[in-house]
Each structure stands twice: as C-alpha cells, then as structure tokens.
Amino acid sequence: MKIRSAKVIVTCPGRNFVTLKIETDEGLTGLGDATLNGRELAVASYLTDHVIPCLIGRDPQQVEDIWQYLYRGAYWRGGPVTMSAIAAVDTALWDIKAKAAGMPLYQLLGGKSRNGVMVYGHANGADISETVDEVAKFLDLGYKAVRAQCGIPGLPSTYGVSKDKMFYEPADADLPTENLWSSEKYLDHVPQLFERLRDKFGFGPHLLHDAHHRLTPIEAARLGKSLEPYRLFWMEDVVPAENQAAFRTIRQHTVTPIAIGEIFNTLWQCQTLIEEGLIDYIRATVVHAGGITHLRRIATLADIHHVRTGCHGATDLSPVCMGAALHFDTWVPNFGIQEYMTHTPETDAVFPHSYWFEDGYLHPGDTPGHGVDIDEELAAKYPYSRAYLPMNRLQDGTMYNW
Ligand code: GCO
Ligand code: MG
C-alpha cells in the first residue's frame, strides 16, 4: 500500500477546524485533526508545504516509522505547530490501518478495557446561582461528572463563563479580547461555589474545576486546601507548567487531585510531573500531543506512576480528534475521564461520526477506523474566519496568563 495523495481541509462551521485527509493507492482514506486554536493556518501550511510532499509514495502501514521520520527527521523537535501536524498524520494513518483491518481502532490498540467512556460536561454561569442551575441541567442529562466555573464578583469577565451555555466557545473575536484578573477575588469566591454545589447535589456527582494557569504555586496550594471539604475530582491547570518542579509546592499542601496537560505536546513536558507523582491526571490529547503513537507513550509512563488520563476535549478539538480520543480512552488501562463539550449541529453535520453519548458515557462505535468522516462539499461552504482566544491582564494592566 502507498500514500497516493494528501490534502488539508480548512473549514469554519461555527469555529475553525483543520483536517488532514490521506488517500492510499488502494482507495482507503484516513482523517486526522490538525486544529490549533487561533493558529490554524500555521499548521495547515506546515502540513501542506513541509509534510505532505514527504508522505507521497510512503507505505501508510508504517505508522511508527513515519512518526519517527517526522519527529526526528525535521531536526526541530516539539512545539504545538509541529506536534499538531505530526498528530494529524499519525491519526490519519491509524484510521487507515484500522480500516484496512476492518476493525474499530480500539481493537488495534488492544481492545476494550471498559464499556463506556465517562465524560464531564461544562457548566458555567455569571454567578453562583446560575452555575448551580447549569450543573443541574447536566445532571438531568445523565452526566456523572460536571466541571463548574462561575463569574467572580468585581471582575467583568473571566475564563470559562460564556453567554452560549452548551456550545461554550472561547475564541470569540477576530482579534483578541481582554479579560481582567485578580487571584485574590478568585480565591475568595471559588470555595463558596463548591460549598453551594455540594449542599445542593451532595457528594454523588463528580465535580471538577479549571483555574486556567492563573495562580502561583502557593496560591494553588491554598486553592487546593480550601476545596478539600468539597472533594473535587480534580483542580485543573492551577499554575503554568513550564516549571514542573513548582508542583512540588502544591503537592506538599493539599490532597485535592491535580490535573494538567492540555497544552503539552510531548512526554518531556510532563516527565517530572509524572515520575515524581506530582499530578493525578494527565490532560494531553491526540491532536496536540503527537497523535495516538505519542499519547500512548505518555499514558504508559503515567500508568507506572499511578497517574490517570483525562484527555482535553474542548470544542476547538474537532470531532476527528474526539473520535480518535474515544478509541484511545476505550483501550487505555489507566483511564480517568474524558472532557466533552458538544459541538454545534453545523460542526456535527460537516463531520459525520459514529460516537454517541448515553447516560454520562461516550461510546466510540464499531465502524472500522476511528469512525469520523468529513463531508467535503459541506465543509467548503464554511470558509476560514480568523478567531482568537482572549488575553488576560491583572487589574493594574500587567499582561498575565489567560
Ligand atoms: C478546557 C480548556 C479550554 C481551552 C481551549 C483553548 O479545559 O477545556 O481550558 O477551554 O481554553 O481549549 O483552545
Ligand atoms: Mg482547561
């Protein structure tokens, strides 16, 4: 079998997605997600201008060799653009391999380890009462786990709070909007939210929270301590992780479980976190962490150190990434949870897929491959439209982490 052609499809059915489609001389096709929120066209160019010419004529069955070729061979290693491009190729090749075998992808990875993939939904509100109502909606839909975010008194806007509840989309403008941040106000408010949620819903549902890289290690330690009575499933991205050793401070002070990794691209960015047992959940996923081939290595290292997976699954990860992640989740022994933000109906129509939600769990389906396709004619009706994530400043104007 040989790779005959490959192309990049950019479409914006409500938000931008970049998809790689690889075609073989035997007529099999495979799809990989290459979406990098706010930097979509950089990955599209990386693939079209630098990767696709090297793929033509290669044997698509050599998934590992092609991964190594693109990673080692480029000399320049890592980074979100490179690793999203490699991930797209890798995902498309696994899709082809599974289709050639006539099997759903999870079978090739090692088969089912569970009957369904537990997911968490996103509840958010302008204030605590609104967030409580939103959590109730998710529980009514059958979710076993819900992430809760809410507005902070004294801050006009913040991460995780949106007007459009079910389709929360942070890339909200064609140039970055700006938020204002105060860790003091945030740290005072968040425990009140979880106190109300536990009062109302008890300790049955899993509750999660994302601090979106905004605290210092000692502030994060305080957050974890103050949330201990409410027994969260995890607190996510409490500090930026360039300095992995900083997590030692947080770990010393709190037993609230720690999750991080949605922006990680390689194992090296979480090696210390995992090997020293500084985290409980690793959030890396297929598209930004080098595809199934590399994510599998991260998960295997994590397993040895009692760290479980919690793949990123926001709306900027396309249904192609979600489909691949669900096969991975169905197999991976140290599965923790999968994030799930539903895509808009327009996006679902462009990407017909075999996965489905039922009673708090997602199921990958049994279609050969990863089970996600693209309707190219429909995709062409939604041209790229530039969109950026917001930025964030402290109240005195200092540039800060979003
Ligand atoms: C999450 C994330 C997202 C990101 C988004 C950026 O936990 O789902 O933090 O909301 O901000 O994916 O592109
Ligand atoms: Mg997050």
Side-chain angles (χ1 to χ4, degrees), residues 147 159 210 212 236-237 262 283:
R147 186 186 98 156
Y159 167 75
D210 190 348
H212 225 256
E236 172 185 339
D237 288 353
E262 65 183 41
R283 305 243 315 119

Side-chain angles (χ1 to χ4, degrees), residues 301-347:
L301 180 71
D303 191 27
I304 298 168
H305 296 279
H306 305 281
V307 175
R308 291 189 280 166
T309 64
C311 287
H312 188 201
T315 43
D316 49 294
L317 289 77
S318 93
V320 176
C321 177
M322 180 56 80
L326 290 172
H327 286 268
F328 178 82
D329 295 336
T330 297
W331 156 73
V332 70
N334 49 323
F335 173 74
I337 201 165
Q338 166 71 52
E339 181 181 19
Y340 179 46
M341 287 169 84
T342 46
H343 288 111
T344 59
E346 291 79 8
T347 297

Side-chain angles (χ1 to χ4, degrees), residues 175-195:
L175 285 174
T177 55
E178 293 196 5
N179 297 161
L180 284 181
W181 181 249
S182 157
S183 294
E184 295 76 17
K185 291 187 167 75
Y186 168 81
L187 286 169
D188 284 345
H189 196 61
V190 176
Q192 299 174 44
L193 168 65
F194 284 93
E195 186 183 4

